[in-house]
Amino acid sequence: MRNTLFTFLFLLLVMSLQISCEKEIKQVEAPVSTSYVDSLYRQAEQLKDASKIDAAIHTNYRAIRLIKNRTDSTYSKILRQRIILFGRKRPLDSALDYSNKLLSVYQKSKDTFGIADAMYLKGFYFNKSNQKDSALFNAYQSVELYKQLKDSSKVYSRSRLLTLILQTIGNYEEAELTAIESLNYLKDKPENAEEFSGIYNDIGNFSKTRGNFNEALYWYNKALELTDIKQYQNNVKNNIALVQMELNNFNIAFDIFTELREDSIYNFSNDLRYKSRILSNWAFAKSKLNHPDAESYLLEALEMRKQKNIAYRLNGSYIRLAEHYADRSDPKASNMAKLAYETAKTYNNPDDQLDALSVLIETAEKPREYAILYRDLSDSIYSVRERSKNHYAKIKYDVERNRQENKNLKANAIIQELQVSKIKSRIIILLLIFMITIGGFYLLYRYQKRRHLQEKEIATYQAELYISKKVHDEIANDVFNLLTRTQNDDFDPEFKPFLLSAIDKLYRKTRNIARDFSDIPVGIEFEDTLKDLLTNYSNKDTQIINKGVQGIQWETISENKQRALYRTLQELLINMKKHSQASLIMINFKMEGSRLVVSYSDNGIGASKENLANGHGIKNMEQRLKTVRGKIIYEDHLDRPGTKATITIPS
């Protein structure tokens, strides 16, 4: 028993320590702020700009480890930065791997903009790693997604990558079509002139490659018109001169190359690639014009290029020299062509290999082997490019088919929604019919009730007129006759004044009753009727102030409503005379939208809402207002005496 108890206490102690440790760990693991992750992102960007790629990757890794929520936009931003950083290194496997991860993140969140961007990155790095089919697929998908999203600027910029890939695989027709189509997504504004110039220059290059030299000149001239940058102008002029050489216009080409060689950019430039290109082209134009110093300048350009040792530029000089020697039947032509062929093989450019082989076929002592190589390579290039064209056509077809299938699915979904909508519409129509029927019965009930109230009001009004007439014609006249007789007959001198006074008071009361229940002038003269009412109840002991009565368009308010308002105010003033003992009364008339609002307040002794509600006159007043859809609201004033009421009548 003691051992069991000891074991239990020991386990309890261990559990307590574990819970305590977990609490401490939780306290240590403070949440990482987004601002700190952003600071790491900016730090990695600075390191990237300083070409410190390894340090930037390490900083980026620290940021990516701190992000717990993998669906957060910050994670996508850091992941994209990681892709670009690995894109600066070789091999590009990591850049492509993280591009797939970024695409997966966007697909899970169904972010179409993100998917388009991730596919662009995949296309870009597949192209850099020379995986052309995958590059083409992703680049095309990216452009099509941006078209669906109607993001014009992105369609234009992403089309540049697609154009480059198509050009690289030799599909010049599609490259040209893509470049021309991208123009539709670039807004024709002055600030985009340089962009248009660049596209026109690209289209000129495609046309030149396809042998459409006059068309190429058209596009180059358009490009030249739109650029104000001297370096770009010189590049376009160089392209124009090359086309003139293809057209055998060597004098025109030579003049353009001479202008470029004498330009300040050439003379003061430290860019050997630019200087060697202009010098080589200028020297080749001299060669075609049979200038004796052409060879020396061609060799000078070759030496410049050897300093940079860029294979495809060396090939350019070897081909130029080979053609120069071939035009002069110089045996050195074959040696230069062999150098050009071997150099072209190092960077795997079949077109440059064919150019070199064509010179070798013309100049070599045993041209047969080169002719066979030319035939096989040409057939291989044709097969590869046809396959690439077919592959691209299939990509376009598959994308279009998927888009059509999605449209069909959406159309079917819309049809189903319409069917469901029809059912819902029928239900709604039935409900509306039911509600309209119920509403109709309710309105009929309200109409009959209102009509009953109006009939009751008319009956009351007629009864009042009848009472007024009877009091005036019978009681008041009888009292007046009694008063006359009393004045003429002999009575006790002491009693007679008292009797006359009593009869006079009785006469006045009957006259007032007759007046109170007499007909009310309504219509356009209702304003004067109200003023008379207020004047009759105003005297030296009680002052009545009215505001806004003249600003109301009384002709827009029906006669029934005018009578109801008159009787309501009359009842309030009668109550004031009998009970309130007020010395000051304020009545404010105003229109609030389509409602007439009359505010009544006095400084009398007041009464509670309960006492007011129980009064017979108040009930009559509320009943009158109810017949015209009006109402009266009383307010309690605990902090001060007096009566305050608000009358509301729809106009």
Side-chain angles (χ1 to χ4, degrees):
M1 183 71 181
R2 291 178 63 188
N3 290 336
T4 304
L5 181 61
F6 177 80
T7 304
F8 174 75
L9 292 172
F10 177 75
L11 289 173
L12 185 62
L13 177 62
V14 171
M15 289 174 65
S16 299
L17 290 172
Q18 185 177 359
I19 292 169
S20 176
C21 290
E22 287 179 356
K23 287 182 178 179
E24 289 179 4
I25 290 170
K26 287 180 180 179
Q27 290 174 356
V28 170
E29 290 181 352
V32 179
S33 65
T34 305
S35 60
Y36 179 64
V37 175
D38 286 338
S39 69
L40 289 174
Y41 172 84
R42 290 192 296 272
Q43 185 179 344
E45 285 292 298
Q46 291 170 358
L47 291 167
K48 181 190 72 175
D49 294 340
S51 299
K52 297 177 181 179
I53 303 302
D54 290 332
I57 289 174
H58 177 70
T59 304
N60 172 272
Y61 180 66
R62 287 172 57 200
I64 214 165
R65 284 185 61 193
L66 294 172
I67 301 173
K68 303 298 182 185
N69 184 5
R70 299 295 178 172
T71 61
D72 194 321
S73 59
T74 306
Y75 175 69
S76 303
K77 181 176 72 172
I78 300 296
L79 195 59
R80 194 180 194 283
Q81 184 187 58
R82 193 163 186 78
I83 294 166
I84 294 170
L85 291 172
F86 276 114
R88 296 284 190 91
K89 298 172 70 68
R90 292 291 188 277
L92 296 169
D93 295 349
S94 295
L96 289 168
D97 181 51
Y98 282 107
S99 295
N100 285 326
K101 289 182 179 178
L102 182 62
L103 178 60
S104 178
V105 169
Y106 285 132
Q107 286 174 337
K108 286 179 181 177
S109 61
K110 297 181 180 180
D111 183 348
T112 308
F113 279 99
I115 292 170
D117 182 55
M119 297 198 83
Y120 167 76
L121 290 172
K122 288 184 67 177
F124 182 81
Y125 291 112
F126 271 128
N127 185 54
K128 286 188 73 175
S129 60
N130 207 32
Q131 300 180 56
K132 301 301 180 184
D133 287 350
S134 297
L136 192 61
F137 173 79
N138 285 281
Y140 181 77
Q141 288 273 34
S142 176
V143 170
E144 290 302 305
L145 283 174
Y146 281 121
K147 285 180 182 178
Q148 292 177 32
L149 295 167
K150 298 182 180 180
D151 189 335
S152 300
S153 62
K154 282 290 192 293
V155 172
Y156 160 73
S157 61
R158 295 334 187 199
S159 293
R160 301 300 296 272
L161 173 63
L162 181 59
T163 302
L164 174 64
I165 298 169
L166 289 167
Q167 180 186 8
T168 305
I169 63 177
N171 195 344
Y172 300 110
E173 292 181 6
E174 289 288 355
E176 185 175 356
L177 288 173
T178 303
I180 292 172
E181 185 183 3
S182 70
L183 292 172
N184 298 325
Y185 294 91
L186 186 62
K187 294 181 180 179
D188 190 7
K189 293 182 178 180
E191 59 266 26
N192 291 332
E194 295 295 338
E195 298 285 352
F196 275 106
S197 176
I199 296 176
Y200 292 154
N201 185 66
D202 290 343
I203 297 172
N205 290 336
F206 302 144
S207 300
K208 178 168 72 71
T209 304
R210 293 169 57 200
N212 298 328
F213 300 121
N214 289 322
E215 185 179 343
L217 287 175
Y218 167 79
W219 290 109
Y220 286 142
N221 285 320
K222 283 179 69 70
L224 194 61
E225 290 172 3
L226 291 176
T227 180
D228 295 325
I229 301 173
K230 188 68 174 176
Q231 185 72 46
Y232 293 169
Q233 290 176 345
N234 288 354
N235 288 337
V236 177
K237 288 178 181 178
N238 179 74
N239 292 335
I240 291 172
L242 290 174
V243 172
Q244 294 294 353
M245 290 184 70
E246 294 288 348
L247 294 170
N248 295 324
N249 298 324
F250 300 117
N251 284 315
I252 296 174
F254 178 73
D255 290 341
I256 296 172
F257 286 132
T258 300
E259 177 189 345
L260 294 176
R261 191 167 178 270
E262 292 174 353
D263 189 84
S264 59
I265 292 179
Y266 178 89
N267 291 320
F268 295 101
S269 176
N270 294 321
D271 186 356
L272 291 180
R273 291 179 297 180
Y274 174 74
K275 296 188 74 167
S276 62
R277 181 180 64 181
I278 299 300
L279 179 61
S280 177
N281 291 337
W282 175 71
F284 190 64
K286 290 173 74 71
S287 171
K288 291 296 183 181
L289 293 170
N290 294 315
H291 290 195
D293 56 350
E295 181 183 3
S296 63
Y297 287 114
L298 286 169
L299 290 170
E300 183 182 345
L302 174 61
E303 290 303 316
M304 281 186 185
R305 285 173 168 171
K306 283 181 178 179
Q307 294 181 46
K308 288 292 183 181
N309 197 29
I310 299 173
Y312 75 90
R313 294 189 181 278
L314 287 171
N315 172 272
S317 282
Y318 292 143
I319 285 290
R320 289 285 193 234
L321 282 162
E323 291 181 357
H324 169 79
Y325 292 135
D327 288 342
R328 290 157 181 78
S329 301
D330 190 324
K332 287 185 284 188
S334 180
N335 293 331
M336 284 296 172
K338 287 178 183 178
L339 286 171
Y341 177 67
E342 294 300 325
T343 305
K345 288 199 295 184
T346 62
Y347 58 92
N348 195 28
N349 188 302
D351 290 317
D352 288 350
Q353 292 177 49
L354 288 177
D355 289 342
L357 287 171
S358 65
V359 177
L360 283 169
I361 291 169
E362 294 178 9
T363 60
E365 293 181 1
K366 297 179 179 180
R368 186 173 181 276
E369 63 175 301
Y370 298 115
I372 294 171
L373 284 172
Y374 186 94
R375 182 198 65 194
D376 293 344
L377 182 59
S378 180
D379 291 344
S380 175
I381 291 172
Y382 178 80
S383 298
V384 169
R385 288 181 177 170
E386 283 300 307
R387 187 187 67 81
S388 296
K389 288 179 181 179
N390 292 335
H391 177 65
Y392 184 61
K394 185 177 183 303
I395 290 172
K396 293 174 69 175
Y397 171 77
D398 288 342
V399 171
E400 185 59 35
R401 184 184 64 184
N402 290 335
R403 185 186 301 152
Q404 191 61 45
E405 287 177 355
N406 288 333
K407 284 182 179 179
N408 292 337
L409 288 173
K410 288 179 180 178
N412 291 333
I414 291 170
I415 291 170
Q416 291 178 356
E417 286 179 6
L418 286 173
Q419 291 174 345
V420 173
S421 178
K422 284 182 179 178
I423 295 171
K424 288 181 178 178
S425 297
R426 289 173 185 170
I427 295 171
I428 291 170
I429 289 169
L430 290 173
L431 287 173
L432 284 173
I433 292 171
F434 176 76
M435 291 174 67
I436 289 169
T437 303
I438 297 298
F441 281 116
Y442 176 73
L443 291 174
L444 181 61
Y445 165 76
R446 289 290 303 273
Y447 169 75
Q448 290 179 341
K449 186 177 180 181
R450 189 178 300 117
R451 184 178 176 184
H452 173 71
L453 290 173
Q454 288 176 349
E455 289 174 352
K456 189 176 179 181
E457 172 68 15
I458 292 169
T460 302
Y461 175 66
Q462 289 175 345
E464 288 174 350
L465 290 179
Y466 176 76
I467 292 169
S468 174
K469 189 172 185 303
K470 294 287 285 183
V471 169
H472 180 272
D473 293 345
E474 298 179 13
I475 300 175
N477 287 339
D478 290 346
V479 172
F480 182 76
N481 291 332
L482 179 60
L483 178 62
T484 304
R485 283 190 61 188
T486 303
Q487 289 175 339
N488 296 329
D489 293 344
D490 293 329
F491 282 93
D492 184 352
E494 294 182 2
F495 177 69
K496 186 176 182 178
F498 172 77
L499 181 61
L500 287 173
S501 176
I503 294 173
D504 182 63
K505 286 181 181 180
L506 180 60
Y507 174 72
R508 289 178 184 276
K509 285 181 180 181
T510 55
R511 189 183 61 182
N512 288 339
I513 292 171
R515 183 191 63 192
D516 289 343
F517 289 97
S518 62
D519 193 13
I520 303 168
V522 291
I524 58 174
E525 55 183 320
F526 185 66
E527 180 182 330
D528 294 331
T529 302
L530 281 178
K531 289 179 179 178
D532 289 342
L533 173 66
L534 301 180
T535 302
N536 289 336
Y537 283 89
S538 181
N539 52 45
K540 64 178 182 178
D541 297 323
T542 304
Q543 184 179 3
I544 299 176
I545 300 173
N546 75 80
K547 181 181 178 183
V549 69
Q550 295 177 339
I552 305 298
Q553 294 181 347
W554 295 106
E555 65 274 10
T556 63
I557 297 173
S558 68
E559 293 183 357
N560 286 341
K561 293 175 182 178
Q562 289 180 1
R563 290 192 184 96
L565 175 62
Y566 182 91
R567 293 301 187 196
T568 301
L569 288 174
Q570 186 182 49
E571 187 65 35
L572 285 172
L573 293 171
I574 289 171
N575 286 338
M576 177 272 300
K577 281 286 188 182
K578 290 181 178 179
H579 311 294
S580 178
Q581 303 176 11
S583 61
L584 181 63
I585 299 169
M586 182 70 183
I587 303 176
N588 185 24
F589 300 83
K590 62 180 178 179
M591 293 296 299
E592 291 184 358
S594 61
R595 301 183 308 162
L596 171 64
V597 179
V598 181
S599 301
Y600 172 93
S601 61
D602 64 37
N603 63 349
I605 58 174
S608 67
K609 287 200 293 186
E610 290 76 10
N611 293 334
L612 287 169
N614 293 327
H616 182 70
I618 299 299
K619 288 182 178 179
N620 288 339
M621 191 184 344
E622 290 175 344
Q623 191 66 26
R624 287 181 187 276
L625 288 171
K626 194 173 182 182
T627 61
V628 293
R629 293 180 295 135
K631 60 182 178 180
I632 183 168
I633 298 173
Y634 298 95
E635 297 182 20
D636 281 331
H637 294 281
L638 300 177
D639 57 336
R640 63 180 179 80
T643 301
K644 186 171 183 180
T646 302
I647 303 165
T648 305
I649 300 175
S651 62

CSV table of all heavy atoms in Angstrom, one decimal, residues 433-455:
chain,number,residue,atom,x,y,z
A,433,ILE,N,-48.3,35.0,-54.9
A,433,ILE,CA,-49.7,35.0,-55.0
A,433,ILE,C,-50.4,34.8,-53.7
A,433,ILE,O,-51.4,35.5,-53.4
A,433,ILE,CB,-50.1,33.8,-56.0
A,433,ILE,CG1,-49.6,34.1,-57.4
A,433,ILE,CG2,-51.7,33.6,-56.0
A,433,ILE,CD1,-49.8,33.0,-58.4
A,434,PHE,N,-49.9,33.9,-52.9
A,434,PHE,CA,-50.4,33.7,-51.6
A,434,PHE,C,-50.4,34.9,-50.7
A,434,PHE,O,-51.3,35.3,-50.1
A,434,PHE,CB,-49.7,32.5,-50.9
A,434,PHE,CG,-50.1,32.3,-49.5
A,434,PHE,CD1,-51.4,31.6,-49.2
A,434,PHE,CD2,-49.4,32.7,-48.4
A,434,PHE,CE1,-51.8,31.4,-47.9
A,434,PHE,CE2,-49.8,32.5,-47.1
A,434,PHE,CZ,-51.0,31.8,-46.8
A,435,MET,N,-49.2,35.6,-50.7
A,435,MET,CA,-49.0,36.8,-50.0
A,435,MET,C,-49.8,37.9,-50.5
A,435,MET,O,-50.4,38.7,-49.7
A,435,MET,CB,-47.5,37.2,-50.0
A,435,MET,CG,-46.6,36.2,-49.2
A,435,MET,SD,-44.8,36.6,-49.4
A,435,MET,CE,-44.8,38.2,-48.6
A,436,ILE,N,-50.0,38.0,-51.8
A,436,ILE,CA,-50.8,39.1,-52.4
A,436,ILE,C,-52.3,38.9,-52.0
A,436,ILE,O,-53.0,39.8,-51.7
A,436,ILE,CB,-50.7,39.1,-53.9
A,436,ILE,CG1,-49.3,39.6,-54.3
A,436,ILE,CG2,-51.8,40.0,-54.6
A,436,ILE,CD1,-48.9,39.5,-55.8
A,437,THR,N,-52.7,37.6,-52.0
A,437,THR,CA,-54.1,37.2,-51.6
A,437,THR,C,-54.3,37.6,-50.2
A,437,THR,O,-55.3,38.3,-49.8
A,437,THR,CB,-54.3,35.8,-51.8
A,437,THR,OG1,-54.1,35.4,-53.2
A,437,THR,CG2,-55.8,35.4,-51.5
A,438,ILE,N,-53.3,37.2,-49.3
A,438,ILE,CA,-53.5,37.5,-47.9
A,438,ILE,C,-53.4,39.0,-47.7
A,438,ILE,O,-54.2,39.6,-46.9
A,438,ILE,CB,-52.3,36.9,-47.0
A,438,ILE,CG1,-52.5,35.3,-47.1
A,438,ILE,CG2,-52.4,37.3,-45.6
A,438,ILE,CD1,-53.8,34.8,-46.5
A,439,GLY,N,-52.5,39.7,-48.4
A,439,GLY,CA,-52.3,41.1,-48.4
A,439,GLY,C,-53.6,41.8,-48.8
A,439,GLY,O,-54.0,42.8,-48.3
A,440,GLY,N,-54.2,41.2,-49.9
A,440,GLY,CA,-55.4,41.8,-50.4
A,440,GLY,C,-56.5,41.8,-49.4
A,440,GLY,O,-57.2,42.8,-49.2
A,441,PHE,N,-56.7,40.6,-48.8
A,441,PHE,CA,-57.7,40.5,-47.7
A,441,PHE,C,-57.4,41.5,-46.6
A,441,PHE,O,-58.3,42.1,-46.0
A,441,PHE,CB,-57.8,39.1,-47.2
A,441,PHE,CG,-58.5,38.2,-48.1
A,441,PHE,CD1,-57.9,37.1,-48.7
A,441,PHE,CD2,-59.9,38.4,-48.3
A,441,PHE,CE1,-58.6,36.2,-49.5
A,441,PHE,CE2,-60.6,37.5,-49.2
A,441,PHE,CZ,-60.0,36.4,-49.8
A,442,TYR,N,-56.1,41.6,-46.2
A,442,TYR,CA,-55.7,42.5,-45.2
A,442,TYR,C,-56.0,43.9,-45.5
A,442,TYR,O,-56.6,44.7,-44.7
A,442,TYR,CB,-54.3,42.3,-44.8
A,442,TYR,CG,-53.7,43.3,-43.8
A,442,TYR,CD1,-54.1,43.1,-42.4
A,442,TYR,CD2,-52.9,44.4,-44.1
A,442,TYR,CE1,-53.6,44.0,-41.5
A,442,TYR,CE2,-52.5,45.3,-43.2
A,442,TYR,CZ,-52.8,45.1,-41.9
A,442,TYR,OH,-52.4,46.0,-40.9
A,443,LEU,N,-55.6,44.3,-46.8
A,443,LEU,CA,-55.9,45.7,-47.2
A,443,LEU,C,-57.4,46.0,-47.3
A,443,LEU,O,-57.9,47.1,-47.0
A,443,LEU,CB,-55.3,45.9,-48.6
A,443,LEU,CG,-53.7,46.0,-48.6
A,443,LEU,CD1,-53.2,46.1,-50.0
A,443,LEU,CD2,-53.2,47.1,-47.8
A,444,LEU,N,-58.2,44.9,-47.7
A,444,LEU,CA,-59.6,45.1,-47.8
A,444,LEU,C,-60.2,45.3,-46.4
A,444,LEU,O,-61.1,46.1,-46.2
A,444,LEU,CB,-60.3,43.8,-48.4
A,444,LEU,CG,-61.8,43.9,-48.6
A,444,LEU,CD1,-62.2,45.0,-49.5
A,444,LEU,CD2,-62.3,42.5,-49.1
A,445,TYR,N,-59.6,44.5,-45.4
A,445,TYR,CA,-60.0,44.7,-44.0
A,445,TYR,C,-59.7,46.0,-43.5
A,445,TYR,O,-60.5,46.7,-42.9
A,445,TYR,CB,-59.4,43.6,-43.2
A,445,TYR,CG,-59.4,43.9,-41.7
A,445,TYR,CD1,-60.6,43.6,-41.0
A,445,TYR,CD2,-58.3,44.3,-41.0
A,445,TYR,CE1,-60.7,43.9,-39.6
A,445,TYR,CE2,-58.3,44.6,-39.7
A,445,TYR,CZ,-59.5,44.4,-39.0
A,445,TYR,OH,-59.6,44.6,-37.6
A,446,ARG,N,-58.5,46.5,-43.8
A,446,ARG,CA,-58.1,47.8,-43.4
A,446,ARG,C,-58.9,48.9,-44.1
A,446,ARG,O,-59.3,49.9,-43.4
A,446,ARG,CB,-56.6,48.1,-43.8
A,446,ARG,CG,-55.6,47.3,-42.9
A,446,ARG,CD,-55.5,47.8,-41.5
A,446,ARG,NE,-55.2,49.2,-41.4
A,446,ARG,CZ,-54.0,49.6,-41.4
A,446,ARG,NH1,-52.9,48.8,-41.4
A,446,ARG,NH2,-53.7,50.9,-41.3
A,447,TYR,N,-59.2,48.7,-45.4
A,447,TYR,CA,-60.0,49.7,-46.1
A,447,TYR,C,-61.4,49.8,-45.5
A,447,TYR,O,-61.9,50.9,-45.3
A,447,TYR,CB,-60.1,49.3,-47.6
A,447,TYR,CG,-61.1,50.1,-48.3
A,447,TYR,CD1,-60.9,51.4,-48.7
A,447,TYR,CD2,-62.4,49.5,-48.7
A,447,TYR,CE1,-61.8,52.1,-49.4
A,447,TYR,CE2,-63.3,50.3,-49.4
A,447,TYR,CZ,-63.0,51.6,-49.7
A,447,TYR,OH,-63.9,52.3,-50.4
A,448,GLN,N,-62.0,48.6,-45.2
A,448,GLN,CA,-63.3,48.6,-44.6
A,448,GLN,C,-63.3,49.2,-43.2
A,448,GLN,O,-64.2,50.0,-42.9
A,448,GLN,CB,-63.9,47.2,-44.6
A,448,GLN,CG,-64.2,46.6,-46.0
A,448,GLN,CD,-64.7,45.2,-45.9
A,448,GLN,OE1,-64.5,44.5,-44.9
A,448,GLN,NE2,-65.4,44.7,-47.0
A,449,LYS,N,-62.3,48.9,-42.5
A,449,LYS,CA,-62.1,49.4,-41.1
A,449,LYS,C,-62.0,51.0,-41.2
A,449,LYS,O,-62.6,51.7,-40.4
A,449,LYS,CB,-61.0,48.8,-40.4
A,449,LYS,CG,-60.8,49.2,-39.0
A,449,LYS,CD,-59.7,48.5,-38.3
A,449,LYS,CE,-59.6,48.9,-36.8
A,449,LYS,NZ,-58.5,48.2,-36.1
A,450,ARG,N,-61.1,51.4,-42.2
A,450,ARG,CA,-60.9,52.8,-42.3
A,450,ARG,C,-62.2,53.5,-42.8
A,450,ARG,O,-62.5,54.6,-42.4
A,450,ARG,CB,-59.8,53.1,-43.3
A,450,ARG,CG,-59.3,54.6,-43.3
A,450,ARG,CD,-58.2,54.8,-44.2
A,450,ARG,NE,-57.0,54.1,-43.8
A,450,ARG,CZ,-56.4,53.1,-44.6
A,450,ARG,NH1,-57.0,52.8,-45.7
A,450,ARG,NH2,-55.4,52.5,-44.2
A,451,ARG,N,-62.9,52.8,-43.7
A,451,ARG,CA,-64.1,53.4,-44.2
A,451,ARG,C,-65.1,53.5,-43.1
A,451,ARG,O,-65.9,54.5,-43.0
A,451,ARG,CB,-64.7,52.5,-45.3
A,451,ARG,CG,-65.9,53.0,-46.0
A,451,ARG,CD,-66.3,52.1,-47.1
A,451,ARG,NE,-67.6,52.5,-47.7
A,451,ARG,CZ,-68.3,51.9,-48.6
A,451,ARG,NH1,-67.7,50.7,-49.1
A,451,ARG,NH2,-69.4,52.3,-49.1
A,452,HIS,N,-65.2,52.4,-42.2
A,452,HIS,CA,-66.1,52.5,-41.1
A,452,HIS,C,-65.7,53.7,-40.2
A,452,HIS,O,-66.6,54.4,-39.7
A,452,HIS,CB,-66.0,51.2,-40.3
A,452,HIS,CG,-66.7,51.1,-39.0
A,452,HIS,ND1,-68.1,51.1,-39.0
A,452,HIS,CD2,-66.3,51.2,-37.7
A,452,HIS,CE1,-68.5,51.1,-37.7
A,452,HIS,NE2,-67.4,51.2,-36.9
A,453,LEU,N,-64.4,53.9,-39.9
A,453,LEU,CA,-64.0,55.0,-39.1
A,453,LEU,C,-64.3,56.3,-39.7
A,453,LEU,O,-64.8,57.2,-39.0
A,453,LEU,CB,-62.5,54.9,-38.8
A,453,LEU,CG,-62.0,53.7,-37.9
A,453,LEU,CD1,-60.5,53.7,-37.9
A,453,LEU,CD2,-62.5,53.9,-36.5
A,454,GLN,N,-64.1,56.4,-41.1
A,454,GLN,CA,-64.5,57.6,-41.7
A,454,GLN,C,-66.0,57.9,-41.7
A,454,GLN,O,-66.4,59.0,-41.5
A,454,GLN,CB,-64.0,57.6,-43.2
A,454,GLN,CG,-62.5,57.6,-43.3
A,454,GLN,CD,-62.0,57.5,-44.8
A,454,GLN,OE1,-62.8,57.1,-45.6
A,454,GLN,NE2,-60.8,57.7,-45.0
A,455,GLU,N,-66.7,56.8,-41.9
A,455,GLU,CA,-68.2,57.0,-41.8
A,455,GLU,C,-68.6,57.4,-40.4
A,455,GLU,O,-69.5,58.3,-40.2
A,455,GLU,CB,-68.9,55.7,-42.1
A,455,GLU,CG,-68.8,55.3,-43.6
A,455,GLU,CD,-69.4,54.0,-43.9
A,455,GLU,OE1,-69.7,53.2,-43.0
A,455,GLU,OE2,-69.5,53.6,-45.1
